[in-house]
Amino acid sequence: MKCNKIVVMILVLALSFSMVGCNTATTQASGDIGEEKTQLVYASTKDIRDINPHTYSGEMAAQNMVFESLVINTDEGVKPWLAENWEISEDGKTYTFKLREDVKFTDGEVFNAAAAKMNIDAVMNNFERHAWLELVNQIDHVDIIDDFTIDLVLKNAYYPTLSELALTRPFRFISPNSFIDGNTKEGVNGYIGTGPWVLSEHKENQYAIFTANESYWGEKAKLNAVKWQVMPDHQTILLALEKGEIDLLFGADGDMVDLDSFKALEDRGKYVTVMSEPIASRAILLNSNKEITGDIKVREALQYAIDKEGIAEGILNGSESVADTVLSPTVAYCNVDLEKRSYDIDKASKLLDAAGWTLGNDGYRYKDGAKMEITIYYNSDNSQERMISEYMQDNLKNAGVNLKIVGEEKQAFLDRQKTGDFDLQYSLSWGIPYDPQSYVSSWRIPAHGDYQAQVGLEKKAWLDEMIGNVMIETDENTRQEMYNEILTYIHDASVYIPLTYSRTKAVYEPSLRGVGFNTSQYEIPFENMYFQQ
Amino acid sequence: MRNYIIRRILFIIPILIGITFISFLLINLNTSDPAEVALRVNEITPTDEAVAAMREELGLDKPFFERYIIWLGNSLRFDFGNSYINNKSVSDEMLSALPATLYLAAIALIMILGISIVAGILCAIFEDSIGDKIIRGIIFVGTAMPNFWVGLLLMWLFAVKLDLFPTSGMSGFSSVILPAATLSLSYISIYTRLIRNNMIQNKNENYVLYTRIRGLKNWAVTKHIFRNSIQSSITALGMSIPKLIAGTVIVENIFAWPGIGRLCVSAIFNRDYPIIQAYIVMMALLFVVCNLIVDIISASLDPRIRRTT
């Protein structure tokens, strides 16, 4: 009797479950099995949002799919793109661009000198928003020479002009028909570009579909479409990858795939995992405007007290290479001969002794009765930074320094960066092609942590002036000399503890081919990708 | 009864004013300057001039109370300003995300009702049988497991291993099952237990004995017991509905469900204050209204409540 009761109960429960679950149809992952797939599904934690190329609220990788620039940054330097060629006047202030004549926006509008000027003018009309980019401060005006030739006239001979024109934003071109009242700063009424992809569908916070531009002037995309699938949770992304719902993960600095997952996926061997060349530098800022870290001997000692090898191998799973300088020698103008400072606890101790910090009985150093205690702040969302901090805490304890670790919400972390209220803080360079010029240029802006960390330096005024000058130096050799001086000074001043050089990572299913990296870590070259069993 | 309802509705007004004031105050107590946040989310370097211009644009240069009154006045017209992130109307953003959340909550509610009533009744009828113990065991575990973990487990089992549902996203009816199941699990546990215990209590009441003496069939007796046992569940359910809607935050993130929970989470991460404020007001309104409805239903069922309140 009792057995019957149980059976009845189980049956009824099962029935109620199945009633709720009725009508469910299994949905199949992207593409059909057996046929060659022509649509790639890319998972991103973020929606593409507003991809107006002249503003900053959209995802750069999506902006890059639709909108193009006059020139592009490549590993071999700047190359022609929408401009066939260019000439630079002798004084370095006028750039004459000859535009391609076979380029059309996807609404049929011709890309010509008028459209180019209209776009650059729209960017300049929103000057304040682009003030971070020195080129915007340097552009005087644009002249139309003929239907397919423009002159870009600068105030000074600003040397990074071409590479900054090639950035993903803001100097990209949108169809004049998309402008609202001749401008783009208040928004646009369509996302019509000249690029290899057309944004054909966008469901906010769900997905976006980019289809191949059939009338593209250059080499057409190999896939028919790319679906940009929004998945805010990392674990969901990994499960969706396992299920085959998505084909590609792509990103830098743990924003799309964290190092642990990357390593786990690599070890499983079911997917292809690749990493780009080093693209940006991860470093610790030492605040020269704070009492303890204001002493150059202390800052120098800290350079020797941190075991970077241990961080690169132990915490970052060997996915990043150890950095000896704040900018990698592979970055333009940064191959400067600088003293390498590796983990050497004895040297660190000697330097701290010399700075007057003597070891107490409790294993920590003291000076005038005050304990050697410094604080590092990190963004609490970033578990990697927490682990690096804990590792450094142990390193520093061996040198008699008490490192306090404070994880803060991103906004509070950024506020602290701006006000300079930190001893140590994390810093990530902007990566090529922003390094070195745009990144170094930002050292002069008080809202950046770099500025705050440097402000206590004796020669900060000189440094800022030097940075301003190097940007408009026309002679290549002199420019290199100036960079040497800047980088040597900042290296000797020990404001940065360079940790590692970060890389962009991609994980994808084996039938996907042609996955590579653009010069900028923020772009994804979907147009080269295709499926092949 | 009419007087009672009018009195209760009038009572809502000071509550809502209090809630809006506290939420406005709390957000203003935040150390981050909204003007700076608004600049930073658009990746504009917050120089002093830019911050000053943005303060003026957002009306932050006005005194606190003036800002509050303006904001409250606008809120009454359902105008919560524009998002700092994309400059779109907050009301539009909320309204476009709300249907997804309501859909999810509705399916979850159906699951809660369907499963907890059936399981509750069965457990009560077969009190202390092995089946009862198994169900109670499952309930115990269900209540203890955190949402995000249950969500991932269900996703792994039903979407990846058994391939019955998509992992995430909103695409057809099959996609709502896993998030709704995750959302409903802890509630199912609560209501099954509530119904079971009430029914067991009622089983020993005199009226049950009399119905049995009258010769009623078993199912008819159970029907009587059930009716008398669900009153407390109805009250609890009234308050669970707003909780369900507000509780979608984690589930929506895991299952990439485009509802207001996700909107709110991304607003919190980006410090998009207008959206956070609107979300708080909407949720407060939802709780207050649901509470009112429950009270009115209870009062209509039980005259004693009308007199004492």
Side-chain angles (χ1 to χ4, degrees):
Chain A
M1 185 62 196
K2 203 156 195 176
C3 204
N4 278 347
K5 282 181 186 173
I6 296 167
V7 171
V8 170
M9 281 182 73
I10 290 170
L11 274 178
V12 174
L13 264 181
L15 192 70
S16 62
F17 261 112
S18 64
M19 277 182 64
V20 177
C22 69
N23 280 335
T24 59
T26 20
T27 49
Q28 197 31 265
S30 63
D32 292 313
I33 294 160
E35 286 171 38
E36 209 67 77
K37 284 206 290 189
T38 53
Q39 175 179 284
L40 176 143
V41 184
Y42 162 71
S44 168
T45 52
K46 291 177 190 153
D47 186 39
I48 61 163
R49 306 187 298 284
D50 173 13
I51 60 166
N52 177 352
H54 300 161
T55 58
Y56 297 90
S57 43
E59 281 296 296
M60 289 169 91
Q63 290 173 316
N64 180 58
M65 291 169 83
V66 179
F67 304 105
E68 296 182 297
S69 45
L70 290 176
V71 291
I72 55 164
N73 285 309
T74 70
D75 294 342
E76 290 92 41
V78 176
K79 292 273 165 74
W81 203 248
L82 293 182
E84 263 172 356
N85 56 56
W86 63 86
E87 275 169 26
I88 306 172
S89 67
E90 263 187 27
D91 63 358
K93 290 185 184 175
T94 305
Y95 285 65
T96 305
F97 290 97
K98 174 81 185 72
L99 309 179
R100 295 187 67 96
E101 296 188 11
D102 55 350
V103 180
K104 280 187 174 172
F105 290 99
T106 48
D107 60 357
E109 191 76 21
V110 179
F111 171 73
N112 55 17
K117 177 177 163 58
M118 199 172 167
N119 271 270
I120 297 173
D121 286 350
V123 171
M124 301 309 293
N125 274 342
N126 199 9
F127 173 82
E128 313 81 55
R129 290 218 164 186
H130 309 298
W132 66 274
L133 188 68
E134 182 61 21
L135 177 59
V136 178
N137 303 321
Q138 296 291 347
I139 290 179
D140 192 71
H141 65 276
V142 179
D143 286 330
I144 295 177
I145 304 304
D146 62 39
D147 274 0
F148 291 95
T149 312
I150 56 165
D151 269 356
L152 181 73
V153 183
L154 306 176
K155 293 173 192 154
N156 296 292
Y158 181 62
Y159 94 83
T161 297
L162 289 172
S163 71
E164 292 194 350
L165 280 175
L167 295 178
T168 324
R169 53 199 185 189
F171 290 104
R172 298 251 171 158
F173 299 93
I174 184 166
S175 166
N177 298 328
S178 300
F179 281 54
I180 296 174
D181 299 331
N183 262 311
T184 53
K185 63 178 175 182
E186 300 298 337
V188 289
N189 61 28
Y191 301 119
I192 309 295
T194 57
W197 301 99
V198 181
L199 176 63
S200 52
E201 195 186 343
H202 179 207
K203 275 209 158 177
E204 216 174 314
N205 284 323
Q206 295 186 56
Y207 62 84
I209 293 175
F210 296 88
T211 42
N213 176 3
E214 291 303 326
S215 56
Y216 187 52
W217 61 271
E219 196 179 325
K220 291 185 179 64
K222 296 182 175 73
L223 291 162
N224 286 346
V226 170
K227 185 177 186 190
W228 181 296
Q229 185 78 46
V230 185
M231 297 185 171
D233 189 83
H234 291 277
Q235 292 299 325
T236 311
I237 292 182
L238 294 176
L239 287 171
L241 179 72
E242 178 154 0
K243 195 181 173 206
E245 283 179 340
I246 55 174
D247 306 305
L248 171 73
L249 305 185
F250 195 105
D253 193 36
D255 48 358
M256 293 302 158
V257 50
D258 62 79
L259 279 174
D260 285 342
S261 312
F262 185 80
K263 190 76 185 158
L265 289 167
E266 194 174 37
D267 291 346
R268 272 176 70 184
K270 195 176 159 189
Y271 308 99
V272 185
T273 52
V274 287
M275 275 195 280
S276 72
E277 290 296 305
I279 35 113
S281 325
R282 195 188 294 282
I284 301 287
L285 286 173
L286 299 177
N287 195 340
S288 62
N289 204 26
K290 282 280 180 178
E291 202 184 331
I292 297 178
T293 45
D295 184 347
I296 187 163
K297 286 204 188 76
V298 170
R299 293 201 302 271
E300 212 182 326
L302 295 180
Q303 303 281 341
Y304 293 103
I306 308 283
D307 178 11
K308 301 173 194 178
E309 290 279 347
I311 291 170
E313 289 304 318
I315 295 171
L316 304 172
N317 290 325
S319 66
E320 297 191 4
S321 48
V322 170
D324 295 315
T325 49
V326 68
L327 285 163
S328 161
T330 54
V331 175
Y333 302 107
C334 296
N335 194 4
V336 181
D337 189 23
L338 297 168
E339 186 203 350
K340 186 178 163 186
R341 293 179 289 202
S342 307
Y343 183 52
D344 185 342
I345 200 76
D346 291 335
K347 197 159 186 181
S349 300
K350 276 184 196 140
L351 281 163
L352 288 173
D353 286 337
W357 292 93
T358 48
L359 210 55
N361 294 332
D362 59 354
Y364 289 108
R365 290 178 183 273
Y366 289 85
K367 185 180 180 180
D368 305 329
K371 190 175 178 181
M372 187 153 198
E373 197 166 72
I374 48 178
T375 311
I376 185 164
Y377 299 90
Y378 73 96
N379 172 1
S380 54
D381 287 341
N382 195 325
S383 59
Q384 208 162 283
E385 286 183 0
R386 193 197 70 232
M387 290 200 300
I388 295 175
S389 305
E390 286 165 355
Y391 192 86
M392 292 199 326
Q393 189 178 44
D394 184 60
N395 282 170
L396 290 176
K397 190 172 184 302
N398 294 334
V401 182
N402 186 23
L403 179 69
K404 281 167 57 180
I405 305 172
V406 179
E408 288 181 315
E409 205 201 336
K410 189 178 170 193
Q411 201 62 44
F413 173 82
L414 294 173
D415 285 344
R416 200 174 281 286
Q417 227 171 43
K418 192 198 162 202
T419 53
D421 186 18
F422 59 87
D423 296 323
L424 276 69
Q425 212 185 38
Y426 284 90
S427 149
L428 195 67
S429 79
W430 300 3
I432 303 167
Y434 301 88
D435 292 348
Q437 75 286 342
S438 314
Y439 174 55
V440 169
S441 191
S442 77
W443 292 356
R444 297 175 296 166
I445 300 168
H448 288 265
D450 303 275
Y451 175 92
Q452 295 298 337
Q454 295 166 3
V455 80
L457 295 180
E458 196 189 332
K459 285 166 71 180
K460 174 64 178 159
W462 166 87
L463 179 70
D464 287 358
E465 200 189 327
M466 195 71 175
I467 293 171
N469 291 339
V470 74
M471 299 298 158
I472 51 173
E473 175 54 54
T474 46
D475 183 68
E476 181 77 24
N477 294 329
T478 319
R479 198 185 300 147
Q480 179 65 63
E481 287 294 314
M482 291 166 87
Y483 267 116
N484 288 355
E485 278 189 63
I486 291 169
L487 296 172
T488 307
Y489 176 66
I490 213 74
H491 186 79
D492 292 345
S494 296
V495 180
Y496 296 87
I497 304 180
L499 294 180
T500 54
Y501 299 124
S502 69
R503 297 157 185 260
T504 309
K505 295 163 196 79
V507 181
Y508 52 96
E509 66 138 312
S511 65
L512 184 65
R513 305 291 155 88
V515 179
F517 301 94
N518 274 6
T519 308
S520 164
Q521 60 179 313
Y522 306 106
E523 300 176 354
I524 308 174
F526 288 112
E527 51 280 7
N528 302 331
M529 299 180 194
Y530 60 97
F531 288 98
Q532 197 173 57
Q533 288 300 332
Chain B
M1 185 68 195
R2 209 180 65 194
N3 283 345
Y4 172 78
I5 294 174
I6 292 170
R7 214 164 57 223
R8 285 303 317 259
I9 290 176
L10 286 177
F11 194 58
I12 282 184
I13 296 167
I15 292 180
L16 279 180
I17 290 179
I19 291 168
T20 55
F21 183 74
I22 292 170
S23 78
F24 195 82
L25 180 74
L26 284 177
I27 282 181
N28 275 277
L29 283 178
N30 203 303
T31 47
S32 299
D33 180 353
E36 211 182 295
V37 171
L39 289 171
R40 206 176 268 143
V41 292
N42 287 303
E43 288 176 38
I44 304 166
T45 303
T47 55
D48 291 344
E49 305 84 67
V51 170
M54 186 51 88
R55 290 184 74 83
E56 205 184 319
E57 193 184 321
L58 298 175
L60 295 166
D61 47 349
K62 297 189 177 76
F64 174 79
F65 276 102
E66 198 181 329
R67 272 189 290 144
Y68 172 67
I69 298 294
I70 293 173
W71 175 76
L72 190 66
N74 290 338
S75 306
L76 287 176
R77 294 192 298 274
F78 209 64
D79 171 11
F80 294 98
N82 288 354
S83 154
Y84 289 172
I85 308 286
N86 55 18
N87 209 24
K88 284 186 187 161
S89 149
V90 172
S91 327
D92 290 351
E93 291 273 284
M94 295 290 245
L95 284 179
S96 68
L98 191 62
T101 298
L102 291 180
Y103 174 45
L104 175 60
I107 301 293
L109 190 66
I110 293 170
M111 285 189 180
I112 294 169
L113 289 175
I115 298 172
S116 56
I117 289 175
V118 174
I121 294 175
L122 287 175
C123 284
I125 297 174
F126 304 113
E127 189 189 345
D128 284 336
S129 67
I130 294 179
D132 176 32
K133 281 177 185 156
I134 290 173
I135 292 178
R136 275 159 62 200
I138 294 172
I139 285 167
F140 183 74
V141 176
T143 321
M145 286 198 291
N147 251 354
F148 70 91
W149 192 49
V150 173
L152 289 173
L153 279 182
L154 291 181
M155 196 189 289
W156 172 78
L157 181 65
F158 291 103
V160 179
K161 292 291 157 195
L162 301 176
D163 198 18
L164 294 172
F165 308 106
T167 56
S168 58
M170 192 168 87
S171 54
F173 186 70
S174 61
S175 65
V176 76
I177 302 298
L178 289 182
T182 309
L183 192 60
S184 59
L185 192 70
S186 58
Y187 293 93
I188 290 174
S189 310
I190 293 167
Y191 289 112
T192 307
R193 206 168 43 189
L194 208 59
I195 293 169
R196 175 190 178 274
N197 293 352
N198 278 333
M199 283 186 68
I200 290 172
Q201 246 173 28
N202 270 288
K203 259 188 350 191
N204 302 321
E205 296 283 330
N206 286 339
Y207 74 88
V208 179
L209 185 68
Y210 300 144
T211 47
R212 287 199 194 281
I213 293 168
R214 273 160 55 206
L216 257 67
K217 289 207 171 76
N218 260 347
W219 66 266
V221 178
T222 308
K223 209 172 82 184
H224 278 284
I225 299 175
F226 177 68
R227 252 197 213 156
N228 284 308
S229 306
I230 54 159
Q231 268 175 21
S232 58
S233 302
I234 289 177
T235 317
L237 197 67
M239 287 318 290
S240 288
I241 291 171
K243 264 196 209 163
L244 261 181
I245 295 169
T248 54
V249 173
I250 292 167
V251 173
E252 283 184 5
N253 256 294
I254 291 175
F255 289 97
W257 195 262
I260 48 172
R262 228 175 96 198
L263 190 70
C264 180
V265 170
S266 66
I268 289 169
F269 279 125
N270 294 317
R271 299 282 171 97
D272 197 348
Y273 294 133
I275 292 193
I276 303 175
Q277 275 167 338
Y279 182 82
I280 294 174
V281 172
M282 256 177 84
M283 286 303 134
L285 193 68
L286 198 66
F287 272 89
V288 171
V289 169
C290 284
N291 195 11
L292 175 75
I293 294 170
V294 170
D295 279 357
I296 291 173
I297 293 174
S298 306
S300 68
L301 292 175
D302 188 346
R304 286 172 300 182
I305 296 174
R306 271 179 304 208
R307 281 196 294 274
T308 51
T309 317

